Amino acid sequence: MEDKLKTLLFESAACRAQLIRLDKTWQKILSHNEYPAAVTRLLGELVAASALLSASLKFEGSLVLQIHGDGPVKLLVAECNSQLGLRATVKLVENSVVEDNISYQELLNAHGKGRFVLVLDPSNRLPGQQPYQGIVSLAGNSVADSLEDYMRSSEQLETRLQLYSNNQTVSGVLLQQMPLDGGHGVKNHDVDGWGRLNMLTQTLKSEEALSADLDTIANRLFWEEKPIVLSERESHFHCTCSRKKVEKMLFSLGKTEIDDALNEQENIHVHCDFCNSSYIFTKPQCEKLFARDEELDPIDPDLDHAMEDPLKDLSRDGKPPTLH
Ligand SMILES: [Zn+2]
């Protein structure tokens, strides 16, 4: 079954729905690591959410959902770019035991210090310009609860988000009201539309969402509403790591730190947690790196996500891009 994202428009209700189902992409993400069942489920929901939210990006670039956990999960990252290229990874606290029925709050926010961040990173960002970072409150009992809350408060529009995941498939629906210019923008505005569509969306349950294909789900939920299919796009696994980016990262660590590391080991090994690639730098290669005349650009935030200390304190940069 192909991995795709479908966008439906309900014109008179002024609502839009995105539906996603991923099999191959999700299995590729999971093939790089093994996680406890509860963590796999959670990562799957985050992956589905990143794809659903990135479908509304108005710029070329990527959307990253990042949870710095305060519980057995140390870090959870899902990233989707505007071509629906996805990657994701998890870091667990060493030797942590994760029960199957552990709650969302226990996994991520055991002492109230968990942090959920949404990053919008345009690819044509100017040097020195930071990506936009929004803080999502770790409210509720699921990724969907937290993000619904964020979307409602940041965009002031009704939002319904449902996410499903097991170790084979992830799927989800995002239903959103569209901005109305004081109600003048829509012909014959169906004011009850949102309520009806919201109720229909809620009839989707985990079993159906993880077994039926996307068209079947879309038809079953919304056939009476006669939506317009705005788009159908395929998604795929995509990692942005490269030797060039690792070079920049090593350069930004500085010569002293690299020399110290090389005193203890023969080569520098950098591992990408997203795709399992290994980058090896020998001593002469490191020396060459620092012997260059020109300065390399500072570390790319893309790579930041894969490193131990993944996120600098990014500041808000002007008006945030919208997601509707
Ligand atoms: Zn990679």
Side-chain angles (χ1 to χ4, degrees), residues 7 25 39 92-93 131 138 140 160 167 169 215 224 233 276 279-280 299:
T7 304
T25 309
V39 175
L92 294 172
V93 172
L138 269 173
R160 174 90 201 162
N167 58 7
T169 304
D215 294 330
E224 272 183 306
R233 296 163 61 207
N276 239 357
Y279 297 93
I280 296 170
I299 183 168

Side-chain angles (χ1 to χ4, degrees), residues 170-183:
V170 300
S171 83
V173 185
L174 172 64
L175 178 71
Q176 262 195 308
Q177 239 180 5
M178 291 160 68
L180 288 175
D181 304 323

